[in-house]
Amino acid sequence: NIVIHWYKQKEGEAPERLLFVSEGKVTVESGFQANRYMAERSSFQKWCVLTIKDVIPDDAATYYCAYWDPHLWSSWIKYFGMGTKLIVSEKESSPPANSEILQKKHEDQIMYVCLIEKFYPEVIRVTWTEDEKEVTDNVVKGDTWQSTKENEYSIASWLTVPAENEDKKYYCKYEHEEEKASLPTQVDSVKTSQEKDCRTVFNRGNLMYQLMHRTAYLVYIIVLLKSSMYNIIILFFIYR
């Protein structure tokens, strides 16, 4: 008896309901061409498929499925899926042209930087695992950035582990619509980067972070100088 809803959210806009499926009947919201959308659900396998016919550029958006579920005290909660991003482009998709793991040891920690370069489209999933178990602690995933060549994207992900885990093998896994791969940290091809190598990757992914810190530092200095001048003026009048 669960009603399945499908939402469409274009970048920078609020989500809007596209259609809903109830008792095997699909109801498309006004404003959308009903003959272009089809939804099929299976209660037994617990899935629902949305099909869009004759895709056009305006269909580019992120699509979410959702359903209402009764909760405690007779309240209802709407659960949303993680969303599927649809990109409409004349350019063919291409897998990453290069992927590697950079390594930097600092004091009692080891930092692994997984660098994945030059892929299209920009949608990609990057995870770290150990013995087939996903690692989420001390993992930072950067945003994708556009390479110098148009319509090519890159991404970096960082994993920090204690130095005593140096002999453990971690994997950086990525899933792109054109390719899936798993990069181990302990192989001969792993590059032990110089400080400038890691700095290059960090500058790409954390430029805004560095600028924010520099700005905060300058503001702090200005406030400190103003406070010092204020104290000097007060002391001058007191002793006078």
Side-chain angles (χ1 to χ4, degrees):
N1 296 325
I2 294 178
V3 179
I4 304 296
H5 307 260
W6 279 98
Y7 286 82
K8 174 183 179 181
Q9 183 176 24
K10 304 194 73 171
E11 188 172 355
E13 299 182 8
E16 53 182 339
R17 190 169 69 172
L18 176 64
L19 58 82
F20 63 92
V21 186
S22 177
E23 297 181 352
K25 181 182 178 182
V26 179
T27 303
V28 180
E29 297 288 352
S30 59
F32 296 99
Q33 299 178 17
N35 61 337
R36 295 186 57 233
Y37 304 97
M38 181 177 66
E40 179 185 4
R41 62 169 295 184
S42 170
S43 301
F44 176 72
Q45 296 181 349
K46 296 184 178 179
W47 53 254
C48 185
V49 178
L50 171 67
T51 302
I52 304 175
K53 300 178 181 179
D54 302 323
V55 173
I56 58 177
D58 189 61
D59 292 324
T62 301
Y63 293 84
Y64 297 91
C65 62
Y67 72 95
W68 286 102
D69 189 49
H71 203 57
L72 298 175
W73 310 110
S74 300
S75 62
W76 289 74
I77 295 178
K78 178 171 279 190
Y79 290 96
F80 281 80
M82 296 179 64
T84 300
K85 187 173 184 179
L86 172 62
I87 298 173
V88 182
S89 173
E90 294 181 355
K91 176 180 172 61
E92 294 184 0
S93 58
S94 58
N98 177 62
S99 58
E100 58 184 330
I101 293 181
L102 305 176
Q103 175 181 324
K104 179 65 179 179
K105 189 172 183 179
H106 179 69
E107 296 180 354
D108 58 346
Q109 292 182 327
I110 300 176
M111 178 178 295
Y112 297 109
V113 181
C114 183
L115 181 61
I116 306 165
E117 298 181 291
K118 300 179 181 179
F119 53 87
Y120 182 82
E122 67 268 32
V123 180
I124 193 169
R125 183 171 185 261
V126 183
T127 56
W128 290 90
T129 61
E130 178 193 4
D131 296 330
E132 300 300 325
K133 182 180 179 181
E134 183 174 350
V135 178
T136 56
D137 293 337
N138 301 316
V139 171
V140 177
K141 179 186 175 183
D143 296 326
T144 55
W145 70 84
Q146 196 164 5
S147 305
T148 54
K149 187 177 179 181
E150 187 179 0
N151 289 334
E152 284 189 347
Y153 295 86
S154 300
I155 193 171
S157 180
W158 295 266
L159 170 65
T160 304
V161 299
E164 55 263 28
N165 293 356
E166 184 175 9
D167 295 331
K168 289 188 177 181
K169 183 178 287 188
Y170 298 91
Y171 291 87
C172 173
K173 295 185 176 182
Y174 67 82
E175 298 178 42
H176 187 263
E177 65 178 63
E178 286 293 327
E179 183 180 78
K180 296 181 181 180
S182 181
L183 308 176
T185 56
Q186 301 296 334
V187 291
D188 295 337
S189 60
V190 171
K191 296 183 178 180
T192 303
S193 66
Q194 300 297 325
E195 186 174 351
K196 63 180 180 180
D197 294 326
C198 275
R199 187 183 296 120
T200 300
V201 177
F202 276 107
N203 284 343
R204 292 175 179 174
N206 292 299
L207 180 59
M208 185 59 69
Y209 179 82
Q210 295 174 7
L211 290 175
M212 290 174 61
H213 272 260
R214 290 179 183 176
T215 303
Y217 178 76
L218 290 175
V219 172
Y220 173 77
I221 294 297
I222 292 172
V223 172
L224 187 61
L225 289 174
K226 290 178 66 176
S227 177
S228 299
M229 290 297 297
Y230 178 80
N231 289 334
I232 292 173
I233 294 172
I234 295 297
L235 289 175
F236 172 80
F237 282 104
I238 290 176
Y239 281 101
R240 186 176 180 184

